[in-house]
Amino acid sequence: MRRTMAAFCALLILPAGGLAAQEQEESSEQREAAEAAELARRDSLRRIFDPARAFAPLDLPEPGPFRDAAGAPGADYWQQRADYQIKATLTGDRIEGTERIIYTNNSPDSLTSLWVQLDQNLFRENSYGAQRAEELDGDVRHGGFFRDGGFVISGVRIDFEGEMTVPEYRTEDTMMEILLDQPLRPGGGRASVDIDFSFEIPESGGDRMGQLDIGGGIIYQLAQWYPRVFTYDDVTGWNQSPFLGQGEWYLEYGDFDVELTVPRDFVVVATGELLNPEDVLTRTQLDRLAEARASEEAVHIIEPEEAGDDETRPPGETPLTWRFRAENVRDFAWAASDRFVWDAAGWEDVLIMSVYPEESIGGRGVSGWERSTEYLRHSVEYYSEEWFRYPYPVAINVAGLALGMEYPMVIFCSWRSRGAFLFSVTDHEIGHTWFPMLVGSDERRFAWMDEGFNTFINYYSGIEFAGGRADPGRVHVAGPDRAGQPGAGPGDLHAGRQHLRG
């Protein structure tokens, strides 16, 4: 109140023209402040991305026994391995789990610690990513920070040559270093690390995961959901770096055995093959899946009018545990919902599937997710014949909150996508199977590699789908969605092409 009265009195004693001069001065100061803020923002962006260095020669080691002068594996090339055994439970909006990382040190180096990624810590209010978003002072796509975000690590244990110990460990934002009591020997030394973890599922998980309330139910897209070991290679050693939201990953390959316990009314899809379909599916669904494997056209496993019905789940009240196994992959993602429509088709020995809410089905003259499996099947077949055969037993498109993101065997695309944009984003995300899922590149340092190659192959896939000729109208335009809202247009697709992490 005192401050208000003082300002009022100051106005009363201003000389003639003083008020206008003061307003002009304040306006000038505001402009200068805005210009300074914009310069700071641009300088910040320049520090993130320097165009002059984007295509500079890579800083690679000299040729030697590990790699030849062209960078190809040499006679003594090695690669670390990380196998995972994970058990997790979905309760409400919370994940609680325990994992065992079986880490094999194939390098010629003795390791005194192991570095682990805690990607969920990005969503803490005070994370480096949150601070970076505040510094940029804009609507950051890869956000989603909230008060209770991040991992809760309740236990870490190491089984080292048959002896279980509780190691010292320390965390720094999205990184954890586990200190070893004795070095992990080179040339095949092995240690098993058990980690107990939990976290609240973010509503908006950096446009890579999260939860979508829809039709009286919910869709969870789960990614970056378990502690993952960083890559150790012959170029950099440990590639530990904080996850700020924009960059992606560089991961070791291994086998995953995963058990996911969810409410009985939920349907789950995930990286890998479902090992216990008889426990979690009805007889009707098993028969429909068998039919879909032999069909080029999509076969409904759960019809739109059946989605959410009790009859789509085995009788009982208790939660169900879904068991999956994936071999020689670098990551694991999954989705769960009580609202999934589910359809599938086959291509050779690959089961191609889509799961989506009824609200994602097309209407008013524009197609929707009822064509997702058709699009996905085209991409798998085309890229297999043109480049390298699709290496996995399943390919799954999941409708949900994320605009577009890729994982082994699983892609996340927006439930709002329609028409040609749905084709384009589906084709783009599954295209990442070939680069980086198979190549295993360092996406955080060299995002242009996987995005560049993928955009290149997408172009020709779109032409093939359009009948062997370039047809920009078919590839780049989509009409209104089922609710009559505008679909993705050329500008949206162009923007997506520029930054889809997929």
Side-chain angles (χ1 to χ4, degrees):
M1 185 64 168
R2 290 175 184 169
R3 193 174 301 167
T4 303
M5 288 300 297
F8 178 71
C9 291
L11 289 176
L12 290 179
I13 60 174
L14 281 174
L19 181 57
Q22 184 186 47
E23 289 176 344
Q24 186 175 4
E25 182 179 349
E26 290 176 352
S27 178
S28 176
E29 290 176 353
Q30 290 172 353
R31 283 197 302 273
E32 291 176 359
E35 289 173 358
E38 177 63 15
L39 288 173
R41 187 186 72 84
R42 292 182 181 180
D43 179 64
S44 176
L45 290 173
R46 278 192 291 269
R47 286 185 278 116
I48 296 173
F49 174 71
D50 181 358
R53 297 187 60 190
F55 295 96
L58 301 181
D59 184 17
L60 298 177
E62 294 295 321
F66 303 143
R67 299 174 190 264
D68 64 22
D76 297 331
Y77 176 77
W78 54 268
Q79 198 168 298
Q80 307 290 64
R81 184 174 182 87
D83 299 303
Y84 293 82
Q85 299 170 356
I86 309 175
K87 295 182 179 180
T89 300
L90 170 64
T91 305
D93 295 334
R94 187 173 182 82
I95 296 288
E96 296 187 1
T98 183
E99 70 173 355
R100 169 162 288 192
I101 306 173
I102 305 168
Y103 188 80
T104 305
N105 178 23
N106 293 317
S107 80
D109 308 321
S110 295
L111 302 181
T112 58
S113 63
L114 299 177
W115 282 87
V116 176
Q117 306 180 56
L118 302 179
D119 300 302
Q120 284 296 314
N121 286 357
L122 168 71
F123 303 113
R124 290 178 173 173
E125 282 185 317
N126 61 346
S127 72
Y128 291 166
Q131 295 175 45
R132 191 63 173 154
E134 184 176 355
E135 179 184 346
L136 294 176
D137 192 28
D139 182 15
V140 179
R141 176 186 172 200
H142 296 279
F145 320 107
F146 63 109
R147 188 183 65 181
D148 296 322
F151 277 121
V152 175
I153 304 297
S154 53
V156 178
R157 301 169 298 281
I158 291 186
D159 185 344
F160 193 85
E161 297 182 353
E163 181 180 355
M164 185 69 76
T165 62
V166 177
E168 179 185 352
Y169 66 90
R170 54 198 180 201
T171 61
E172 177 71 18
D173 197 53
T174 59
M175 303 174 291
M176 169 194 282
E177 183 183 20
I178 301 175
L179 306 178
L180 303 178
D181 291 337
Q182 52 184 309
L184 184 60
R185 65 176 176 82
R190 181 174 294 183
S192 295
V193 181
D194 293 351
I195 302 177
D196 303 323
F197 64 92
S198 62
F199 66 92
E200 295 290 331
I201 301 172
E203 291 184 9
S204 174
D207 201 20
R208 302 182 188 278
M209 58 166 295
Q211 48 181 296
L212 173 68
D213 293 316
I214 190 165
I218 194 165
I219 297 174
Y220 294 106
Q221 293 174 317
L222 280 305
Q224 295 81 248
W225 63 280
Y226 60 97
R228 308 182 294 178
V229 69
F230 278 101
T231 292
Y232 185 88
D233 64 23
D234 61 297
V235 178
T236 308
W238 282 114
N239 284 264
Q240 77 274 31
S241 61
F243 177 42
L244 302 178
Q246 295 282 12
E248 290 193 5
W249 299 282
Y250 182 30
L251 301 166
E252 305 286 10
Y253 287 88
D255 296 342
F256 285 76
D257 288 285
V258 180
E259 297 184 7
L260 303 170
T261 300
V262 302
R264 183 171 287 263
D265 55 343
F266 277 58
V267 169
V268 177
V269 293
T271 298
E273 289 189 279
L274 177 62
L275 300 182
N276 62 332
E278 294 82 3
D279 297 335
V280 295
L281 301 177
T282 66
R283 183 69 259 170
T284 297
Q285 290 163 356
L286 293 171
D287 292 342
R288 290 174 177 176
L289 271 174
E291 179 186 353
R293 286 182 180 276
S295 174
E296 295 182 4
E297 305 294 331
V299 174
H300 276 106
I301 315 305
I302 297 178
E303 299 272 2
E305 60 271 17
E306 296 173 339
D309 289 351
D310 292 342
E311 290 74 17
T312 64
R313 309 283 64 244
E317 300 294 333
T318 59
L320 291 173
T321 297
W322 299 61
R323 297 176 53 231
F324 296 90
R325 177 172 174 79
E327 297 180 355
N328 201 29
V329 296
R330 63 180 213 158
D331 201 0
F332 188 102
W334 57 290
S337 177
D338 54 358
R339 293 283 298 133
F340 275 152
V341 178
W342 180 8
D343 65 42
W347 178 76
E348 296 190 356
D349 57 352
V350 181
L351 182 61
I352 298 170
M353 302 184 285
S354 299
V355 289
Y356 48 92
E358 185 179 2
E359 289 80 359
S360 293
I361 296 174
R364 291 193 175 186
V366 63
S367 60
W369 273 77
E370 71 279 4
R371 297 192 65 185
S372 166
T373 296
E374 173 194 351
Y375 299 154
L376 192 59
R377 189 180 187 279
H378 158 81
S379 300
V380 168
E381 180 178 8
Y382 176 77
Y383 295 137
S384 293
E385 294 175 348
E386 190 71 20
W387 301 105
F388 186 83
R389 195 190 187 285
Y390 186 80
Y392 305 130
V394 297
I396 309 164
N397 197 2
V398 181
L401 192 69
L403 173 61
M405 191 59 208
E406 75 281 353
Y407 304 94
M409 308 185 215
V410 176
I411 60 175
F412 294 164
C413 297
S414 170
W415 70 280
R416 295 182 182 274
S417 294
R418 297 287 188 275
F421 185 79
L422 177 57
F423 167 81
S424 182
V425 70
T426 299
D427 186 62
H428 183 82
E429 303 309 334
I430 200 63
H432 277 301
T433 297
W434 284 262
F435 206 129
M437 299 305 161
L438 288 177
V439 177
S441 60
D442 183 348
E443 298 174 87
R444 189 163 296 179
R445 282 192 178 92
F446 310 120
W448 58 268
M449 288 186 176
D450 57 292
E451 293 302 333
F453 177 81
N454 196 24
T455 301
F456 170 75
I457 67 175
N458 296 160
Y459 174 77
Y460 292 100
S461 177
I463 291 176
E464 178 73 15
F465 187 77
R469 58 187 175 81
D471 186 349
R474 181 166 186 178
V475 176
H476 295 105
V477 179
D481 66 16
R482 193 165 183 254
Q485 298 301 313
D492 300 308
L493 182 56
H494 177 73
R497 283 294 196 204
Q498 298 303 312
H499 67 252
L500 277 182
R501 297 306 317 142

